[in-house]
Amino acid sequence: MTSRIVVIPTRRAHSNHAEVSRSIGVDIIAGRYAEGTRLPGDAELTSMFGVSRPVLRESVKTLVAKGLLTTKARVGTVVRERGAWNMFDADVLAWHLDAGIDKRFLNDLAEIRLAVEPRAAMLAAARRSEEDLAELNRSMDRMRREASDSAGFADADLALHVAVARASGNLFMRSIGHVIEAALRASFLLSAPVEVEDRDTVLLWHQKIVDSIAAGDTEAAAAAMVFVIHNGMSRHEGTVIETAPAEPAPSAQSGE
């Protein structure tokens, strides 16, 4: 079976150094610059992007700060191992969507959601305000109005999960929810419940999250959240997306 990736285009950068950072970052994430690969020299990169050396160096500093690159004396600028990348950085997540998200990305996302969101739902059930409940109900109403495979449905789904994180009253959970918004939105788009039965199941269990939070039932809220995440994972399995081998980027290893 031919492998493929799913690309979710994101907004382009507004400055030269940000655009160079994005371009190199996407190439790293897509595997065109492999782990341990030394980037081409400054002269080649400035010519490639049509920017000055100060702009290039600012871009490299940005990528170093995000964990994608390291600079070593007498060695140059080298791509770091995937485990060093800051996956909670909004740019790094956006670049994954540009490069193409694969099954590993979706599984990793689901695992961090399972580690955080059920607990957030429990806390929300114990701490939610009337404003929180109103926002949860607004998100549910919008999910019911929107077509299952529309961006509006994914946005409403995302808004509900962010509202749960906000209702938890935990600042770290709220921050995590906002940081991974783009990745969650892509995940929801890919797991859209296009079949009537799937849509009914999704709406039913999201409503159970809201109802359990409203009732102050912490255990039921957590259980409903776990079901929702696993249900989304099962629909991802039907998408079957794997990362296709990327063409290698030009390397300066040989001094070319």
Side-chain angles (χ1 to χ4, degrees), residues 104-123:
R104 176 181 177 181
F105 178 92
L106 291 171
N107 285 341
D108 287 350
L109 178 61
E111 287 172 358
I112 191 63
R113 291 182 65 200
L114 285 168
V116 174
E117 288 196 85
R119 180 61 179 173
M122 290 184 72
L123 292 174

Side-chain angles (χ1 to χ4, degrees), residues 131-210:
E131 289 183 6
D132 292 325
L133 291 178
E135 179 59 30
L136 289 167
N137 282 312
R138 279 194 294 270
S139 298
M140 271 310 315
D141 289 343
R142 187 179 175 193
M143 285 181 72
R144 288 194 174 88
R145 291 196 307 269
E146 299 283 354
S148 299
D149 57 351
S150 69
F153 187 90
D155 287 341
D157 195 346
L158 171 61
L160 188 147
H161 287 266
V162 171
V164 171
R166 187 180 300 114
S168 74
N170 184 295
L171 295 178
F172 290 99
M173 289 181 177
R174 290 171 63 179
S175 294
I176 289 174
H178 285 296
V179 167
I180 64 175
E181 274 190 34
L184 281 177
R185 184 172 183 274
S187 173
F188 295 157
L189 282 169
L190 290 171
S191 63
V194 292
E195 301 296 332
V196 173
E197 184 176 349
D198 287 341
R199 177 184 172 87
D200 289 344
T201 298
V202 166
L203 292 175
L204 171 66
W205 282 90
H206 278 77
Q207 186 65 59
K208 285 187 178 183
I209 293 173
V210 176

